[in-house]
Amino acid sequence: MLFRSEKRAADAQIMEQKEVIFLCLLMFAGTILLSVLGIMYESAFVNAVAALVVAIVMLISFSLVLRPIIAKVNAFFLIQTSLGISIGGASFYFYTDTPEQYPEGPHFSQEFFTSVLGIIGSLCSLVGIYSYQKYACNWSYRGLLLFTNVVLSLLSVTDIVMFTRLNVKLGIPDHAFVLGASVLTTVIAQWMWMPGVVILSQLCPAGMEATMYALLAGCHNLGNTIASNCGALVLEWLKCQPSGANNESAQFQNLWVGSALSTVLPMFTLALLPWLIPDAKQTDKLLEDDDREDRKSVV
């Protein structure tokens, strides 16, 4: 009986938050829409436009319903993630094509590309989390996001060097070059990811932590979908659509342009830092204990 009464109380508390239920249903509808369009249409343009429309609807809805500080932080991370367009569909072939498929390429084995780089990336992620906890957990949100975005963009230039084959001209072996770049990039990426996790956790009102965090994390994942769909469209515009066919060197001529865009575009979000990210340290409390007094402060 005690369990049933607690469950009824929890259900009643959830039903009181009609705004959160609305956002959950809206996020669900957007996810279903993008999934259906992705299955029915192979057009990169259609899928990219659909993802952008869903993102705009979500941004407007979150801004109207959520408490301003939560809506602003959510908007920052959604915009930043969306602008980091993904070119992974083409870069995979760039790295793993055989000499017959791409004579000028690095010719990584799939074992090296997936297993070796994956294991090293996981180890570097642990190093990044440890070093963040030791050196960066007391930084302000704005300071750390500014630092990590700038450094990560500078490190991303190594991808452009790789795609233009400049490292070969400089006498730097492909395997050594990509391993060195991967180590530094993964560590800094963890430094940029951790304050996002902290601030999203801080913005979950008492009694609805799981629901709110799921919504905010869902928006972040929506940003990844937008980045993927827009990246596919950009690669199509750049005529960079390798398929593993023989003699497809021409498919990689403009890959560095896509890499440059994915490096530069997220930097524009730094101009939004003073307006969207609170001027606080990661140890500061962002929501007051009485954040349920009215609709705007509840969510």
Side-chain angles (χ1 to χ4, degrees):
M1 293 295 294
L2 180 60
F3 172 77
R4 290 181 179 178
S5 62
E6 290 178 348
K7 184 178 184 302
R8 283 196 296 268
D11 291 341
Q13 186 181 63
I14 292 175
M15 294 307 297
E16 289 176 359
Q17 307 301 324
K18 295 181 176 59
E19 297 88 350
V20 175
I21 295 175
F22 164 73
L23 291 178
C24 289
L25 293 175
L26 190 63
M27 180 71 73
F28 176 74
T31 303
I32 294 298
L33 175 63
L34 293 179
S35 299
V36 171
L37 290 176
I39 295 172
M40 295 181 60
Y41 297 95
E42 296 184 359
S43 170
F45 179 79
V46 170
N47 286 285
V49 170
L52 289 173
V53 170
V54 170
I56 292 172
V57 171
M58 292 304 301
L59 280 176
I60 294 174
S61 301
F62 272 60
S63 298
L64 292 175
V65 173
L66 293 182
R67 185 176 178 177
I69 185 174
I70 303 176
K72 288 179 179 180
V73 171
N74 177 69
F76 176 85
F77 286 108
L78 176 57
I79 294 171
Q80 183 180 61
T81 306
S82 300
L83 290 178
I85 60 174
S86 173
I87 58 171
S91 63
F92 174 79
Y93 289 102
F94 172 87
Y95 286 113
T96 61
D97 269 2
T98 64
E100 292 76 23
Q101 296 166 330
Y102 180 30
E104 303 86 357
H107 310 141
F108 293 163
S109 67
Q110 293 193 18
E111 291 77 15
F112 175 82
F113 186 75
T114 57
S115 299
V116 175
L117 289 181
I119 292 172
I120 291 177
S122 298
L123 293 175
C124 291
S125 293
L126 295 176
V127 173
I129 294 173
Y130 171 77
S131 58
Y132 160 83
Q133 182 64 33
K134 188 172 180 62
Y135 301 109
C137 63
N138 290 319
W139 289 28
S140 69
Y141 290 112
R142 291 181 184 177
L144 188 55
L145 287 171
L146 176 63
F147 172 77
T148 52
N149 273 276
V150 171
V151 173
L152 197 60
S153 293
L154 292 175
L155 290 175
S156 296
V157 174
T158 57
D159 291 335
I160 300 175
V161 172
M162 189 77 174
F163 294 145
T164 56
R165 312 306 289 132
L166 182 59
N167 65 296
V168 176
K169 297 176 183 177
L170 296 174
I172 305 175
D174 288 321
H175 288 73
F177 187 79
V178 77
L179 283 173
S182 177
V183 168
L184 294 174
T185 300
T186 304
V187 171
I188 297 300
Q190 288 298 319
W191 279 42
M192 185 170 68
W193 177 67
M194 288 302 296
V197 174
V198 173
I199 196 170
L200 291 183
S201 301
Q202 288 270 24
L203 295 177
C204 297
M208 50 188 302
E209 293 88 348
T211 304
M212 182 58 69
Y213 191 86
L215 273 174
L216 298 177
C219 268
H220 179 79
N221 292 334
L222 175 61
N224 289 327
T225 301
I226 297 170
S228 179
N229 290 353
C230 291
L233 180 60
V234 168
L235 291 176
E236 185 178 283
W237 286 343
L238 295 174
K239 302 185 185 308
C240 184
Q241 296 179 296
S243 60
N246 288 339
N247 300 312
E248 61 176 6
S249 299
Q251 298 292 332
F252 301 109
Q253 288 183 356
N254 295 322
L255 183 56
W256 71 271
V257 179
S259 178
L261 288 174
S262 68
T263 298
V264 173
L265 288 178
M267 292 288 288
F268 286 102
T269 57
L270 296 182
L272 302 176
L273 276 174
W275 290 275
L276 300 183
I277 300 298
D279 186 15
K281 290 187 176 182
Q282 297 171 80
T283 52
D284 292 344
K285 193 173 184 178
L286 300 181
L287 294 182
E288 300 298 330
D289 293 331
D290 57 350
D291 58 9
R292 289 183 172 274
E293 289 184 356
D294 54 65
R295 186 176 72 88
K296 276 295 183 183
S297 62
V298 170
V299 293

